[in-house]
Amino acid sequence: MSKLFEEFQDYLNKMNQYEHVITLLYWDMKTVTPKMGQAGHVDALTHFSSEHFAMSTSERLGEMLAGLAEPVEFEELTDTWQYIVKYMKKDYDRNKRIPADLYNTFVQTQAQAGIVWEEAKDKSDFSLFAPHLQKIIELTREMTGYTDPGKEVYDALLDQYEEDMDSATIDALFEDLKRELIPLVKAILGKQKPENPAFSGYFDPNGQKKVQDMLLDYIGFRKDAGSVGETEHPFTLNFSSKDVRVTNHYYEHDPLSSIFSAIHEGGHGIFEQNVNPEYDNTTAGSCRYMGLHESQSRFYENILGRNKNFWIPIYDKLGELLPPFQEIPLEDFYREINHVKNSFIRVNADEVTYCFHIILRYEMEKAIFREQVPVDELPALWNRKMQEYLQITPSNSAEGILQDMHWSDGSFGYFPSYLLGSIYDGMLLDALQEELGDADELLRNGKIGEITKWLNQKIHWYGSTRKPKEVIAAVCGKEVSAEPLIRYFKAKYTEIYGL
């Protein structure tokens, strides 16, 4: 081990201490910080984020990365550290171009916008959030101009979340889905039955929390390396593979929301807990590709969790923990969790119409960054697209443009990753069944652990060291295609609705 490499490792350790504090502050702000304490946390978050950014763009780090990239030093590194040096140098070169004062302003604006977004959503008042969104959009443009000079802004943003999946690729995949799913949903809606009143009664939030804990344990989320908090909008974050945190939200009259949020966030958490621990606290750890990450959360939530066989081994336990389910037959439960209907809220949408929710947001983001649609016109555009794709119009901003937190922290380009994840899932299901056998049988026999182990070995272990296209090529032996997902939807819903 060279002196340069030792110095580099010490430097990374110091950077990780700042990152640890930043993550802890964010978790605390979203879970337990009282309203009057938010300002103090924003100041602290800005300070530590700025210190971390300064270290990540320092001249000394640049010199160390350049030195380690030299052939003599580079060849002495393990494959893992070669990856770390390569990608840290790439990130360094991008971030070094960002002025420090611009970065500080962006961090502070993010934190403040997040606070105002919650208030605006609670009051269903877009005018409260609009000036903050305007500033976030402007800062995002400016930042991207520094990080990706000469590159079209929205393609640069997409690349930050799912490398190598540009808008031309996404457009083609999403057009394939639209062409097949619009007539499929129309046929399904023609077979609808009346709403089942059994799912609109009172469901004790404490019982919902017990169900959540049972489900997380069942699918393989380890409590010795994870914990659960409560937030307005569920999310997952991690300090390392040994400390992964998920959150949830509980509605007294909508138990399915927390049930499937638990499975969804649990899928994210399982990914993080099973990355090679050697990657902890490095750029190889966790997973920087959001479509790949969403493929795992949505695989658990939809491919597994909305399969009737998933529930056969545990449905009695669900009824024990949340007694109203004792009066609901499994067949009725199965139909309800796969009830296709045009609905306002993305996170509560069925897996088929969910695709339209993401396509809508993708087109909204293209309108923002390519067509320069003014912020004050965005709610009306949102409503027109809801009518176009789902034939419904939100009655207020809370069930429309204010429902998601993503734009409050500048996560433009993230939304498409959800649907890319579902597209990957159709391919992964085919590959899994080729290797392990029929997924229905595995689930019916309570062998979900074998599925989790397969995902651990094929995907999770590698963290960020393989790009999404590389993962799909390695696991599925094919290029990315929407065809398997379309085939899955048609087979499943033809059977459920007797099409």
Side-chain angles (χ1 to χ4, degrees):
M1 184 183 296
S2 70
K3 289 184 178 180
L4 178 60
F5 183 62
E6 287 182 354
E7 182 185 354
F8 178 63
Q9 285 190 308
D10 287 342
Y11 196 91
L12 286 189
N13 287 335
K14 292 175 183 177
M15 285 181 62
N16 289 332
Q17 299 309 312
Y18 281 111
E19 193 166 348
H20 192 98
V21 172
I22 293 164
T23 305
L24 188 59
L25 281 167
Y26 182 83
W27 169 265
D28 195 80
M29 283 178 67
K30 294 297 182 182
T31 55
V32 296
T33 304
K35 185 174 182 179
M36 292 182 67
Q38 293 280 359
H41 271 44
V42 168
D43 288 344
L45 186 64
T46 301
H47 169 75
F48 286 107
S49 296
S50 299
E51 291 295 317
H52 181 270
F53 181 73
M55 289 194 72
S56 71
T57 56
S58 73
E59 295 294 338
R60 184 54 191 148
L61 178 59
E63 292 167 356
M64 286 189 286
L65 289 169
L68 290 169
E70 290 292 327
V72 174
E73 288 279 356
F74 195 74
E75 290 172 6
E76 292 297 315
L77 301 175
T78 65
D79 290 345
T80 296
W81 281 103
Q82 286 183 355
Y83 172 89
I84 291 167
V85 168
K86 176 183 174 182
Y87 271 87
M88 280 194 70
K89 190 173 189 312
K90 179 181 177 181
D91 288 342
Y92 175 87
D93 290 341
R94 292 178 75 252
N95 293 334
K96 180 66 176 174
R97 295 190 286 264
I98 303 173
D101 59 345
L102 174 61
Y103 181 80
N104 295 348
T105 300
F106 187 68
V107 171
Q108 191 166 35
T109 303
Q110 280 179 309
Q112 291 170 341
I115 296 168
V116 175
W117 166 78
E118 289 196 20
E119 180 185 0
K121 181 184 177 185
D122 184 58
K123 295 179 178 179
S124 191
D125 186 350
F126 182 74
S127 67
L128 293 175
F129 181 57
H132 296 270
L133 177 58
Q134 179 66 48
K135 193 170 183 181
I136 284 284
I137 291 169
E138 292 169 356
L139 288 170
T140 299
R141 283 187 191 281
E142 189 175 358
M143 293 268 284
T144 306
Y146 284 107
T147 59
D148 298 88
K151 191 168 186 177
E152 193 274 324
V153 172
Y154 193 55
D155 267 337
L157 294 171
L158 290 171
D159 206 52
Q160 289 179 22
Y161 293 102
E162 199 71 351
E163 195 169 346
D164 293 343
M165 298 296 284
D166 59 17
S167 58
T169 302
I170 295 172
D171 284 345
L173 292 168
F174 286 9
E175 286 300 319
D176 287 345
L177 284 169
K178 283 164 53 175
R179 183 176 59 252
E180 299 291 341
L181 295 189
I182 288 174
L184 177 63
V185 170
K186 184 178 180 180
I188 292 171
L189 294 178
K191 294 275 192 174
Q192 284 294 9
K193 293 184 177 181
E195 295 282 340
N196 189 333
F199 293 90
S200 59
Y202 175 79
F203 294 81
D204 180 18
N206 288 324
Q208 292 185 47
K209 292 176 183 179
K210 292 176 183 177
V211 169
Q212 164 194 267
D213 291 344
M214 179 271 288
L215 289 169
L216 288 172
D217 181 66
Y218 185 64
I219 65 176
F221 180 79
R222 301 198 324 272
K223 287 297 183 64
D224 62 341
S227 62
V228 184
E230 184 172 352
T231 53
E232 175 68 23
H233 193 108
F235 66 86
T236 299
L237 58 72
N238 69 297
F239 295 86
S240 69
S241 63
K242 303 171 186 65
D243 187 352
V244 180
R245 308 195 184 181
V246 302
T247 72
N248 208 339
H249 191 83
Y250 314 95
Y251 299 94
E252 293 180 350
H253 301 290
D254 184 9
L256 298 183
S257 177
S258 66
I259 285 173
F260 283 93
S261 285
I263 300 172
H264 179 98
E265 299 304 333
H268 280 306
I270 289 169
F271 193 149
E272 295 295 345
Q273 289 180 334
N274 290 281
V275 173
N276 183 344
E278 291 183 8
Y279 300 166
D280 279 350
N281 301 317
T282 75
T283 193
S286 188
C287 179
R288 62 196 289 155
Y289 312 115
M290 291 300 98
L292 188 59
H293 226 308
E294 292 299 339
S295 78
Q296 298 309 282
S297 58
R298 297 189 64 73
F299 195 89
Y300 279 97
E301 176 191 359
N302 294 324
I303 303 295
L304 304 181
R306 296 186 194 275
N307 185 320
K308 180 169 65 176
N309 297 285
F310 174 93
W311 294 97
I312 288 174
I314 59 172
Y315 196 67
D316 288 343
K317 187 66 175 178
L318 174 64
E320 290 176 20
L321 299 174
L322 211 50
F325 282 108
Q326 294 175 1
E327 308 301 320
I328 302 174
L330 175 58
E331 191 62 37
D332 289 357
F333 177 81
Y334 175 59
R335 286 190 67 87
E336 183 65 21
I337 65 177
N338 291 290
H339 183 185
V340 177
K341 60 182 178 181
N342 291 334
S343 56
F344 295 110
I345 307 302
R346 173 184 65 87
V347 295
N348 294 338
D350 61 88
E351 61 180 333
V352 184
T353 61
Y354 186 93
C355 300
F356 298 137
H357 284 268
I358 297 305
I359 291 169
L360 177 153
R361 286 155 173 79
Y362 172 61
E363 293 179 354
M364 289 289 296
E365 291 185 343
K366 288 198 292 184
I368 290 170
F369 288 100
R370 291 183 177 164
E371 300 167 26
Q372 286 78 48
V373 173
V375 166
D376 61 359
E377 295 180 14
L378 293 178
L381 179 59
W382 180 287
N383 291 352
R384 289 197 298 272
K385 289 186 176 293
M386 285 290 289
Q387 189 63 43
E388 176 186 355
Y389 288 120
L390 296 164
Q391 294 77 57
I392 53 178
T393 302
S395 60
N396 58 65
S397 293
E399 66 181 15
I401 195 169
L402 284 175
Q403 64 182 269
D404 297 301
M405 67 183 290
H406 299 61
W407 292 348
S408 71
D409 66 8
S411 296
F412 300 103
Y414 191 130
F415 278 123
S417 67
Y418 290 107
L419 188 45
L420 289 172
S422 293
I423 290 169
Y424 301 159
D425 284 346
M427 304 187 72
L428 292 173
L429 177 61
D430 283 354
L432 182 149
Q433 295 195 127
E434 286 179 10
E435 294 193 26
L436 297 186
D438 184 45
D440 290 349
E441 184 177 350
L442 290 168
L443 292 172
R444 188 165 51 247
N445 293 322
K447 295 183 178 180
I448 191 171
E450 293 186 18
I451 295 175
T452 293
K453 184 178 179 181
W454 187 85
L455 294 168
N456 292 163
Q457 295 172 341
K458 298 289 184 177
I459 298 172
H460 306 159
W461 181 257
Y462 298 94
S464 284
T465 61
R466 296 190 303 183
K467 298 177 185 178
K469 287 183 178 179
E470 293 172 339
V471 171
I472 295 302
V475 179
C476 305
K478 301 174 182 177
E479 293 185 356
V480 178
S481 166
E483 187 276 329
L485 180 66
I486 293 167
R487 177 166 28 90
Y488 159 81
F489 281 147
K490 286 184 174 180
K492 177 176 178 177
Y493 289 95
T494 294
E495 179 182 357
I496 291 175
Y497 283 92
L499 301 179

